[in-house]
Amino acid sequence: MTKESSYTAKLPGPDGLYAYSAEEDAIWGELYRRQMTLLATTACREYLEGVALLGLMPQKVPQLLDVNKRLNETTGFGVEGVPALIPPSQFYALLSQGKFPLATFLRRREHIDYIEEPDLFHEVFGHCPMLTNKNFANFVRHFGETAVRLGKGYSWHLFRLFWFTVEFGLINTPQGRRCFGAGIVSSPSEAKSAMEIQTCEFRPFDMLSVLRTPYRIDILQPIYYVIDSFTDLEAIVEQDMEAMILKAKSLGDFPPAFESKAS
Ligand SMILES: [Fe+2]
């Protein structure tokens, strides 16, 4: 969570369960139904299968314990509730251990269309379905291991790889281009922009280009990178990431496709 956040961390009870109100269940349900309608023809098969495998339903905010159990049964991945924004080193360490850090508060109705900080809907509906896919889960774990091994000096560039895949990735399928990135599947406006409005640029995934591409977190993405398969994605972090990042640093960033406030 950012310093300006008006949300407070939600903590579990002694039984590990989080208490969500009827209003929060209603907000979850509204978001779930709206996104599932949109995603039926725009998300990739692996994502939609993941939603079913996790047993996500519109009636109730899912419990972290249930999501954790189902993920464990599919790919061995897990989730860990985090109380607030965590430092990059902790984020990467958790990923390397096969645990995805989750914010556990849910957005309020006034933020139903857009919330800058990641809430439970983004985390569970956005991230967790893809973690039921073996290739994707391996990618995330290896990404975390690489980030831990390379340390702080590489973290900035490595997060660009995370951004353009785990958060805003698209994939070519026999049915056409489909989305899987959590920032797309969990956002009504991003899902429309990435799939329906042809005002953004779609680039074939290229590691060096990704590492050189600045982004902003608070705008609809002007550039998306498209992978060809999740097997390819898994192989990405088996490259010499240190050498790739050093090369990206020496070549420098591409000019931003947006105004100021680059991340
Ligand atoms: Fe995210």
Side-chain angles (χ1 to χ4, degrees):
M1 273 178 257
T2 59
K3 272 184 206 157
E4 306 79 32
S5 175
S6 59
Y7 289 94
T8 50
K10 197 180 266 291
L11 298 172
D15 52 3
L17 297 176
Y18 292 80
Y20 294 104
S21 66
E23 168 68 355
E24 286 172 320
D25 283 338
I27 290 170
W28 167 273
E30 198 174 318
L31 283 164
Y32 178 101
R33 288 189 180 92
R34 185 163 60 172
Q35 287 306 96
M36 285 303 276
T37 304
L38 202 56
L39 296 174
T41 52
T42 56
C44 69
R45 177 179 52 81
E46 291 83 352
Y47 171 81
L48 294 171
E49 284 173 359
V51 172
L53 276 170
L54 291 179
L56 301 181
M57 306 289 276
Q59 290 83 3
K60 269 198 149 335
V61 181
Q63 286 292 332
L64 189 146
L65 281 179
D66 295 333
V67 173
N68 192 57
K69 182 170 177 288
R70 298 221 177 195
L71 271 182
N72 257 293
E73 289 163 357
T74 54
T75 55
F77 227 87
V79 290
E80 184 151 315
V82 291
L85 187 70
I86 55 173
S89 58
Q90 191 187 346
F91 178 76
Y92 291 138
L94 282 168
L95 296 185
S96 74
Q97 295 157 21
K99 292 177 196 159
F100 204 92
L102 300 187
T104 52
F105 73 93
L106 191 69
R107 70 190 72 182
R108 292 187 294 270
R109 192 161 288 282
E110 68 257 32
H111 294 139
I112 196 155
D113 288 326
Y114 177 75
I115 179 169
E116 186 174 330
E117 58 212 292
D119 74 333
L120 182 94
F121 186 76
H122 169 82
E123 308 279 40
V124 173
F125 188 87
H127 282 293
C128 292
M130 282 311 305
L131 290 168
T132 64
N133 177 273
K134 196 79 190 162
N135 298 120
F136 186 90
N138 285 341
F139 166 75
V140 174
R141 193 184 288 110
H142 291 158
F143 170 86
E145 288 166 0
T146 305
V148 168
R149 181 166 47 81
L150 294 181
K152 208 173 171 185
Y154 294 81
S155 154
W156 191 255
H157 283 81
L158 272 173
F159 203 78
R160 287 182 176 167
L161 172 58
F162 189 88
W163 185 262
F164 287 110
T165 55
V166 176
E167 292 292 357
F168 288 96
L170 296 164
I171 183 168
N172 286 317
T173 78
Q175 294 75 39
R177 201 165 46 225
R178 295 287 182 266
C179 58
F180 67 87
I184 304 176
V185 297
S186 68
S187 159
S189 52
E190 195 78 39
K192 282 183 190 141
S193 172
M195 305 306 298
E196 292 178 358
I197 304 169
Q198 302 301 309
T199 51
C200 31
E201 188 186 339
F202 299 95
R203 297 180 181 172
F205 185 90
D206 171 71
M207 173 66 92
L208 199 54
S209 300
V210 164
L211 296 174
R212 299 177 64 199
T213 307
Y215 63 87
R216 260 178 72 170
I217 67 165
D218 58 343
I219 54 170
L220 291 172
Q221 299 301 302
I223 296 167
Y224 298 95
Y225 284 94
V226 188
I227 62 168
D228 285 325
S229 72
F230 290 112
T231 316
D232 283 0
L233 183 72
E234 185 179 355
I236 282 170
V237 271
E238 283 157 18
Q239 301 175 68
D240 184 345
M241 291 303 301
E242 184 176 8
M244 292 294 274
I245 292 172
L246 290 175
K247 192 168 178 189
K249 284 183 178 179
S250 72
L251 291 169
D253 286 355
F254 293 135
F258 47 79
E259 290 183 11
S260 68
K261 212 179 166 187
S263 293

